[in-house]
Amino acid sequence: AIARTGSTHVRIPVGDWMWEPYDVYDQVEDGVRCNDGAVDELNRALALCAKHGLKVLLDMHAWIGSQNGLDNSGETKFVVWASKFDSGTSGEMYAPKGTFEHWAHKGWDWIINSTADWGIAMSLINQKHWAHSIRVIHKVVQMYGKHPSVWGLSPVNEVGAWTPMDVLRKFYWEAYGHVRHGAPHWIFVMDSSFRGGEVFRDDFMRGCPNKAVDKHPYHAWAPWGQVETYYKRSCGWADENVAIEEEVDVPVIAGEWSLAMDTCAMWLLGFNDMQPGEPRAICDMVPCPCAGGESNTMGSCYLGTEFSMPGLPRSTRRKACSARSARASPGRCSVAARVRWPCLAPRGRVDDHARPQADRRLQSRPRLVLLELSHRV
């Protein structure tokens, strides 16, 4: 199905625990670990891509200690749990016991802690996590360096924006060396760390072959507007990427993207978590999915109204809800807001008068299509 769309490449996110399990990923329950079989599933996906002529970007999506403090790194970090009940009688207000605050305390502790002093950052590197990360990259290169479908490697996803630049460059350089040695034909795709082309300034890796920078354009976190807003923003991204390519000698790709216009999708910002200011849309609420899709089976899939939030397995020993998670309600989950654009013609077609001339330039510009293959590991 992916190949039939004309797409050429697939981005597959993987976690470091697939090659070196640790902490919760190394715990055995009923004779298995939660990540057992993950490498087999990856191999199956790669074989399917080879069969259908698709190339694969392996994306090291999650690292030990978390590289950005978000759940997409494998660990929501750091979480502060509420410890008091809101009695409602004393006049003092507390977040309900069992809820947590995350975004106000968000940080990371991958190859360096998010609070590290940039002036002495090189001396504060977490050597244990660094060695673990380089070993995993070496194993991935050794395992897939000659695989016919693997096109490249992204050594880290969305690394925190205030990770010291000299530390990040050092990691990229060492990881690049392993890729050049074991799979010199791979494209080495480095995350922008939410800083555009800054990582490649000061002539970092200038002239080095087979490299690219990855940026993630999302409308969902940007301001709403009329349909012209989204065309203009997309064209603006194109101009921004061209400017980066011309400044720092590195091609830009979009390893992640979405047509979503809001952040309503359930758990998008973390399980029972809520980024301050989100969602800005008024989300539609629908019955949460359950076994068989029958509403009368909800009680067997989700905690009851006693726990006030949907989504937790009944076996969960502690209710885990963000104090900011206002978009959840018992038995109901948020979905994308239904927006009716005034400039949409009947049958959902965009009015020609709303489409700017700039999008014709985008259509004619050669571009690499990257899709993310989602799978549980």
Side-chain angles (χ1 to χ4, degrees), residues 235-236 238-239 242 357-367:
C235 292
D239 293 336
V242 169
Q357 294 293 320
D359 76 331
R360 295 197 182 97
R361 174 172 57 83
L362 283 178
Q363 290 173 359
S364 61
R365 176 189 169 114
R367 60 194 184 277

Side-chain angles (χ1 to χ4, degrees), residues 27-46:
Q27 294 180 9
V28 177
E29 185 173 339
D30 296 329
V32 297
R33 297 177 301 192
C34 66
N35 59 297
D36 282 352
V39 172
D40 293 335
E41 181 67 12
L42 174 60
N43 292 339
R44 185 184 71 85
L46 291 177

Side-chain angles (χ1 to χ4, degrees), residues 114-122 124 161-166 195 198:
S114 52
T115 63
D117 182 341
W118 282 40
I120 56 173
M122 296 297 279
L124 299 176
W162 58 92
T163 299
M165 189 59 70
D166 50 356
R195 288 177 272 188
E198 183 179 345

Side-chain angles (χ1 to χ4, degrees), residues 82-142:
S83 59
K84 296 182 179 180
F85 283 108
D86 177 10
S87 65
T89 58
S90 64
E92 295 183 275
M93 299 295 291
Y94 300 105
K97 187 174 182 178
T99 64
F100 61 82
E101 284 283 351
H102 167 227
W103 288 89
H105 310 281
K106 181 174 73 75
W108 50 86
D109 196 23
W110 173 42
I111 54 176
I112 194 166
N113 190 276
S114 52
T115 63
D117 182 341
W118 282 40
I120 56 173
M122 296 297 279
S123 66
L124 299 176
I125 290 174
N126 186 319
Q127 298 297 336
K128 180 180 178 181
H129 288 182
W130 183 286
H132 165 91
S133 302
I134 296 300
R135 283 196 311 271
V136 169
I137 286 177
H138 179 76
K139 289 179 179 180
V140 171
V141 172
Q142 291 296 304

